[in-house]
Amino acid sequence: MELPLKLNREFYKQPLLDLARKLPGKLLVKSTGSELLAGKIVEVEAYDGATDESAHSFNGKTPRTEVMFKEGGYLYVYLSYGVHYCCNIVTGNKDEGTAILIRALEPVIGIDQMAINRFGKDQISVKEKLNLTSGPGKLCKSMGIVKGDNGTDLVKGEIYLTESFETNQPGIVQTTRIGISKAKELPWRFYIKDNPYVSRK
DNA sequence: ATCAAGATTACCT
DNA sequence: GGTAATCTTGATA
C-alpha cells in the first residue's frame, strides 16, 4: 500500500490549536526494518505549558518534559499511572512547551501485528478490533511505542505522520478534555464525528 | 529519603 | 459504576 505524503517540519510548527484541529484524519506511521504499522488519528487533546495547568510542561522544563520544549515535530512519550505509555506530538516553536496527545486511532495498516502487540494473537473479533487503539494507552501498546521512543524526530525517524487518505475534511467535534483534574473547562479535545474508534463520546 | 499524584485500562458487581 | 494495578516524577526534608 502506498502511503500519503509525509508531513514536514513546517506542519508541526503551527500554533497548538491550529494543529490540533488538523490532526484528525492524518496517519500515524511506524516503519521499522520489516514492519509497517499505521493508524488514522481520530481523537486528540491539546496541552499548553504557558497557560494550561494540566499540561506536564506547566511548571517549566524538567528532565521528563524536556522534549515538550523542543520545536514542533518531536514525539513526547510518558508512562501513565505506572502502567501505560501515551504519546504526544510536540508543536510550535522551541521553548513553547506545547504538545498534542494522540488519544485514539483507527487501525489501517499492519492490523494483525497490532493485534499481536496488544492481545498476543492475530485473530481478533470485531469487538476486539474496536478496542485495539481506542485510547491513548491502547494505541501505544498496539503500535509498539515505548519510553525509548521519547524524543523521536518525526521528520527523520521511524515514527512519523502523513497526510490523510481522504481528500475531504472529516467532521470534527470539539469538547473538553478527559481524565484531568485541572483546567477542565478548556475545550481542547478534538475528534472525528461518529468514528467508532473514539475513546468516549 | 520519603511521599502523593497521575493526560489509563481492565475487570468486577 | 467502582476500583486495583503499578511506578515514575517532582516536590519537600
Side-chain angles (χ1 to χ4, degrees):
Chain A
M1 193 179 309
E2 191 79 7
L3 284 170
L5 190 65
K6 183 173 175 174
L7 297 169
N8 60 24
R9 182 75 64 199
E10 287 312 305
F11 178 80
Y12 297 109
K13 295 187 80 164
Q14 296 175 83
L16 178 66
L17 294 178
D18 290 351
L19 195 63
R21 280 171 205 288
K22 293 177 187 171
L23 283 187
K26 303 286 190 281
L27 253 43
L28 172 64
V29 179
K30 186 182 173 206
S31 173
T32 57
S34 56
E35 119 185 339
L36 177 64
L37 302 177
K40 179 168 91 172
I41 297 172
V42 300
E43 178 183 357
V44 300
E45 285 178 359
Y47 289 88
D48 176 5
T51 60
D52 169 13
E53 275 192 288
S54 67
H56 290 170
S57 50
F58 183 70
N59 289 312
K61 197 185 284 188
T62 65
R64 178 174 64 149
T65 62
E66 192 186 343
V67 325
M68 284 188 77
F69 290 89
K70 286 178 175 269
E71 63 176 344
Y74 289 84
L75 195 69
Y76 167 50
V77 180
Y78 69 94
L79 184 64
S80 175
Y81 291 90
V83 181
H84 308 284
Y85 292 111
C86 297
C87 72
N88 299 248
I89 308 296
V90 177
T91 77
N93 296 306
K94 193 171 182 298
D95 294 326
E96 282 185 359
T98 53
I100 299 170
L101 172 68
I102 310 288
R103 282 198 58 90
L105 298 176
E106 175 178 328
V108 176
I109 300 172
I111 299 177
D112 289 352
Q113 184 60 48
M114 291 190 206
I116 290 169
N117 291 346
R118 181 143 150 70
F119 300 120
K121 58 182 183 182
D122 59 1
Q123 296 296 314
I124 56 172
S125 66
V126 172
K127 201 169 179 179
E128 285 170 320
K129 188 182 173 189
L130 283 169
N131 192 28
L132 197 54
T133 51
S134 55
K138 300 176 190 176
L139 94 242
C140 282
K141 186 88 191 284
S142 294
M143 295 286 291
I145 294 172
V146 294
K147 191 162 69 173
D149 295 313
N150 187 44
T152 296
D153 185 343
L154 298 171
V155 176
K156 297 174 183 164
E158 296 180 327
I159 300 173
Y160 53 91
L161 302 186
T162 74
E163 286 292 354
S164 310
F165 273 117
E166 298 88 352
T167 49
N168 52 333
Q169 204 76 355
I172 305 290
V173 178
Q174 178 172 6
T175 54
T176 51
R177 297 173 294 181
I178 291 178
I180 54 173
S181 56
K182 295 172 238 169
K184 283 181 173 167
E185 71 286 355
L186 295 173
W188 286 1
R189 174 169 176 248
F190 301 86
Y191 64 86
I192 296 180
K193 186 171 170 18
D194 298 327
N195 187 289
Y197 294 91
V198 169
S199 67
R200 179 178 167 266
K201 296 281 257 192

